[in-house]
Amino acid sequence: MPVIAQPAKTLPAWSDYNALVIDDRISRGIGSPARELLELLGHSARAYYDLSESLLKYLPAFTHHTLLIMDTNLFERFARRYLGDTLSEIYELLTWDTGWNGYNSPKPEHNAVIHAGQWITNLFREVADLGWIKPNVTGEPDGGVVFEWWYGQRKLTIYVGEENVEYVQVWGTAIDAKITDGDIESINICRSLWMWLRG
Amino acid sequence: MPENPITDDEILYRCVPDNKGLLKIQPNGTFKISSQAFHDPNQRPSVDRARLRENDPSRTLGPYSGGVTSIVTHDVRTIDDLVQYDKDQRPIQDFIVDVEPKPIFDDPNEPDNYAHAEIYTNPLCPRRVFQRLCERLALLANSRPWEIEPPILRDKA
């Protein structure tokens, strides 16, 4: 029987945030093999909000900086809830075994999966105001994570490895459609890719 | 010249397992096969020659839960835009795409499969070019009806 942490009134904002994350996971029925993943998620979220807490302590109250941080907290909370299904799909890749695609592919790599979870959250932050589209999540038979979006006639594929991110653009649905590719060296590039996808 | 060469009109089966993100239902109820359905760590996606499976795709699916898609050999061989570019987008090398028979016999890890074949490039292409090939193969597969519709689509109908 899982224990759901309830936020006490005296706890800082990030504790409340974590309780929301835990609620999300348990309501989807993740079993004991995923407990370790859950702890990892909680740990990284705590690390993030510890940093925010420190900044809050040392900045004068009610400056625009403080408000910015508070807004960031709200945004992260919103993003995590909005991306809940996608993050579950990403971390589920860690349960896949060798041969998951029926053709002897190695299982997804742990570090690539963690990177993919962080990366998709960053992408959401960068492009959500343009209109979010839930990605298809799958493994790359080289051990990475692949996100795919179909929108109208266009398709965007993103490969997330342990340290690198690459994209492929398909400019139509015909069998001879133009296909281009490139590296994503900074999340800023994603905004133009997203605008391209949405036409 | 390989024995029993693959003719241009031959249909090639590829298994697409369920629940691995290799199939995406679109908001309008249609589906898209992921390019990753054709990805392969050795850059040689496996296919079965329909003719040598007695045109029975269920023999390609085997014990897996999922569907079977197909592409035509001629369409694969006419992929002619696989080019490697340098950083300034100048073409460095062209790659030919082909399919060759690779029957499996007495493999300790695989059941015998006389129909087994592999899609490959000549010369072996870099990873980035192979990613584009997978997109092209997915476009080909998405332009054809399923040989065996995956349960997730049958249940939705």
Side-chain angles (χ1 to χ4, degrees):
Chain A
M1 180 73 179
V3 177
I4 302 174
Q6 294 297 326
K9 284 181 182 174
T10 53
L11 288 178
W14 60 259
S15 300
D16 186 31
Y17 168 83
N18 276 338
L20 286 167
V21 171
I22 289 167
D23 280 350
D24 274 355
R25 302 290 146 178
I26 290 174
S27 68
R28 286 183 179 80
I30 289 178
S32 54
R35 208 161 288 141
E36 195 179 329
L37 289 176
L38 196 57
E39 285 171 8
L40 260 176
L41 272 175
H43 186 75
S44 60
R46 270 195 301 279
Y48 177 84
Y49 284 97
D50 280 344
L51 177 64
S52 298
E53 279 285 299
S54 306
L55 290 171
L56 279 170
K57 278 178 190 168
Y58 293 109
L59 281 171
F62 302 114
T63 67
H64 65 280
H65 298 291
T66 313
L67 290 173
L68 178 66
I69 290 164
M70 295 298 285
D71 285 345
T72 304
N73 286 349
L74 283 172
F75 183 84
E76 288 292 318
R77 205 157 131 178
F78 174 71
R80 289 279 176 178
R81 289 184 73 83
Y82 215 85
L83 291 174
D85 287 348
T86 299
L87 291 170
S88 294
E89 289 171 17
I90 293 168
Y91 295 118
E92 193 183 310
L93 296 181
L94 292 171
T95 65
W96 291 9
D97 214 339
T98 303
W100 60 268
N101 69 344
Y103 291 100
N104 295 326
S105 283
K107 53 187 179 183
E109 291 172 8
H110 179 271
N111 289 346
V113 172
I114 300 302
H115 184 202
Q118 296 163 344
W119 188 86
I120 200 74
T121 306
N122 289 339
L123 177 70
F124 183 82
R125 182 186 295 115
E126 190 67 26
V127 305
D129 64 307
L130 299 172
W132 181 246
I133 306 167
K134 187 179 181 292
N136 184 56
V137 179
T138 188
E140 177 196 6
D142 286 335
V145 177
V146 176
F147 297 115
E148 292 173 294
W149 291 268
W150 288 266
Y151 193 82
Q153 299 289 300
R154 294 178 173 180
K155 186 202 173 198
L156 177 63
T157 305
I158 303 277
Y159 290 80
V160 182
E162 192 174 332
E163 293 178 345
N164 62 318
V165 183
E166 300 163 324
Y167 69 86
V168 181
Q169 295 167 284
V170 182
W171 297 63
T173 54
I175 58 173
D176 59 351
K178 176 180 165 187
I179 300 176
T180 51
D181 60 43
D183 289 311
I184 296 181
E185 288 162 355
S186 122
I187 197 75
N188 299 332
I189 297 171
C190 294
R191 197 167 174 87
S192 56
L193 283 174
W194 200 259
M195 289 169 77
W196 167 84
L197 177 67
R198 295 188 61 95
Chain B
M1 193 71 177
E3 272 184 52
N4 197 0
I6 302 173
T7 56
D8 274 356
D9 62 340
E10 283 195 50
I11 289 172
L12 308 167
Y13 293 149
R14 173 86 178 178
C15 173
V16 183
D18 259 350
N19 302 322
K20 298 297 179 191
L22 299 176
L23 180 69
K24 177 75 172 178
I25 308 268
Q26 303 297 298
N28 63 4
T30 61
F31 63 87
K32 295 288 185 186
I33 297 170
S34 164
S35 54
Q36 302 314 295
F38 289 94
H39 220 299
D40 182 85
N42 299 316
Q43 300 189 0
R44 294 182 69 93
S46 291
V47 287
D48 276 358
R49 302 168 66 180
R51 190 175 291 166
L52 301 183
R53 286 295 206 188
E54 297 167 332
N55 294 309
D56 179 3
S58 67
R59 295 182 61 191
T60 292
L61 186 59
Y64 292 101
S65 171
V68 175
T69 188
S70 66
I71 49 181
V72 181
T73 303
H74 174 265
D75 293 338
V76 176
R77 287 178 172 154
T78 51
I79 294 173
D80 61 358
D81 63 344
L82 283 190
V83 181
Q84 182 184 10
Y85 298 96
D86 66 13
K87 285 186 175 177
D88 300 318
Q89 291 300 305
R90 286 179 301 219
I92 302 173
Q93 187 167 25
D94 292 332
F95 299 88
I96 293 167
V97 189
D98 206 345
V99 191
E100 66 179 355
K102 283 283 178 182
I104 298 171
F105 293 112
D106 298 328
D107 186 299
N109 302 314
E110 301 282 347
D112 287 355
N113 181 0
Y114 186 66
H116 185 252
E118 291 177 348
I119 298 169
Y120 68 101
T121 66
N122 186 19
L124 183 66
C125 64
R127 167 191 154 84
R128 182 68 64 79
V129 175
F130 184 68
Q131 289 172 353
R132 275 188 270 132
L133 173 59
C134 290
E135 296 291 349
R136 190 67 71 200
L137 294 173
L139 285 171
L140 291 174
N142 278 317
S143 71
R144 293 175 56 82
W146 285 96
E147 299 291 339
I148 295 178
E149 205 169 63
I152 189 172
L153 292 179
R154 284 202 300 270
D155 297 345
K156 205 172 173 65

